[in-house]
Amino acid sequence: MKTTLPQPKPIDVTSEQIAFYRENGFVKIEGILTTDEVEFYHAETLRIAVENSPEKSKDGAYRNILNQTVNAWRESEIMKSLTLHPNVTAAAKALAGVPLRLWHDHVLAKDPHNGKISAWHQDQPFWPHAQSPNPLSCWMALIDVPERRGCMSFIPGAHRRTDLAMQNLNDSRKLFSVAPDLEYATKITVPLRAGDCTFHHGLCPHMANANDTDEYRIAHVAIFMDRDTVYDTTLKGKAGRHVLTDSLNLSVGDRLDNAEFFPEI
């Protein structure tokens, strides 16, 4: 096991990848981490996952579906180096095409044979955000993630749907009850090798399969928002509270520009 941070290998995001992302709301990028980096970061994320069982989760939306650790970057220097990895931040800015800041990261792990899917949903309706039309998440595989281990699927082009109410992650039919047309839309499943990632827009509907293998499905997600995002809980369908902002004494219209919590990248 690696004990010192391996050197990253810079990658380029191509114009074709940028165009694909902006048209479809997601894109796969291979080899964003080297093999040495995967080994190094996998050990830390597995430690975090094992220490945070679903029973300990404070997030009812995810409880019993997966192990979620929010803001791992603030608790671990190793995770901070992954969340703010130069390949991740450079790719995020290239794909979004606008200045960004970090919203948060989280470790998402599914226990072996967990038997639970992560239901179809959009991310952004869960966030108390306004003036952030370009949010995106980097979902990084730290183990090979074929379909049977819980890889993600996306509905291409549906990131343009800004009219949908927040979807219940424990209800596999919720997205299609609020948007029946999406049930018949094209869906694309994206298996990943360890070190690969997908970026998806905060409004791109996605889901993840159950983990039917003998190993933890380990993923790390870094989420970015527009630099000038403001706090707003008044918009229709928006979450009224959020674990990241409840302690910050914010008022509607305040910019989420606290450099300690939401650094610009």
Side-chain angles (χ1 to χ4, degrees):
M1 181 178 70
K2 302 292 182 181
T3 57
T4 58
L5 181 64
Q7 287 296 310
K9 180 181 179 181
I11 65 166
D12 292 321
V13 178
T14 67
S15 58
E16 290 79 12
Q17 288 172 320
I18 294 171
F20 186 94
Y21 169 80
R22 295 181 184 177
E23 175 64 23
N24 295 283
F26 74 95
V27 69
K28 176 182 177 180
I29 296 180
E30 298 180 349
I32 200 164
L33 297 182
T34 66
T35 301
D36 285 346
E37 287 179 302
V38 168
E39 180 182 348
F40 180 78
Y41 290 120
H42 179 274
E44 179 72 350
T45 51
L46 181 59
R47 178 192 68 79
I48 291 169
V50 170
E51 289 181 359
N52 291 275
S53 67
E55 291 74 20
K56 297 178 183 177
S57 173
K58 297 179 180 179
D59 189 337
Y62 282 114
R63 191 178 296 122
N64 298 324
I65 298 175
L66 44 68
N67 305 6
Q68 177 185 221
T69 303
V70 176
N71 268 353
W73 76 280
R74 289 178 55 80
E75 305 296 330
S76 163
E77 285 298 316
I78 293 175
M79 299 312 299
K80 181 177 182 179
S81 69
L82 179 57
T83 298
L84 300 177
H85 191 286
N87 284 349
V88 172
T89 55
K93 288 186 287 188
L95 294 170
V98 298
L100 300 171
R101 62 177 70 250
L102 181 68
W103 168 225
H104 70 87
D105 76 344
H106 49 181
V107 173
L108 298 180
K110 288 196 171 184
D111 293 355
H113 301 285
N114 77 318
K116 298 286 186 179
I117 69 165
S118 304
W120 285 103
H121 65 283
Q122 298 171 307
D123 290 331
Q124 194 178 36
F126 288 89
W127 305 332
H129 291 180
Q131 299 180 28
S132 183
N134 303 288
L136 74 169
S137 297
C138 175
W139 197 101
M140 188 181 300
L142 293 169
I143 187 173
D144 290 347
V145 187
E147 288 190 52
R148 63 190 298 264
R149 187 169 283 145
C151 71
M152 298 236 286
S153 298
F154 305 92
I155 302 180
H159 61 297
R160 299 181 181 89
R161 294 296 298 269
T162 61
D163 59 323
L164 304 183
M166 186 167 56
Q167 300 108 45
N168 183 346
L169 291 176
N170 289 301
D171 182 352
S172 63
R173 299 289 311 158
K174 185 61 178 178
L175 176 68
F176 304 129
S177 69
V178 299
D181 57 303
L182 292 183
E183 185 159 13
Y184 301 95
T186 298
K187 298 168 182 67
I188 298 178
T189 299
V190 185
L192 298 176
R193 293 285 191 182
D196 295 347
C197 74
T198 55
F199 280 86
H200 67 269
H201 188 281
L203 289 177
C204 182
H206 56 282
M207 63 85 68
N209 294 331
N211 179 10
D212 294 327
T213 72
D214 296 333
E215 298 180 84
Y216 274 92
R217 190 218 67 185
I218 302 291
H220 172 267
V221 185
I223 306 173
F224 305 98
M225 58 185 173
D226 291 70
R227 182 185 60 192
D228 298 327
T229 299
V230 302
Y231 178 74
D232 196 339
T233 59
T234 66
L235 300 177
K236 181 180 179 181
K238 288 287 184 182
R241 302 184 65 191
H242 196 282
V243 65
L244 295 183
T245 52
D246 287 349
S247 64
L248 299 181
N249 298 315
L250 295 169
S251 298
V252 170
D254 286 349
R255 285 185 58 180
L256 294 175
D257 58 1
N258 183 316
E260 178 184 356
F261 290 92
F262 313 118
E264 190 171 349
I265 63 167

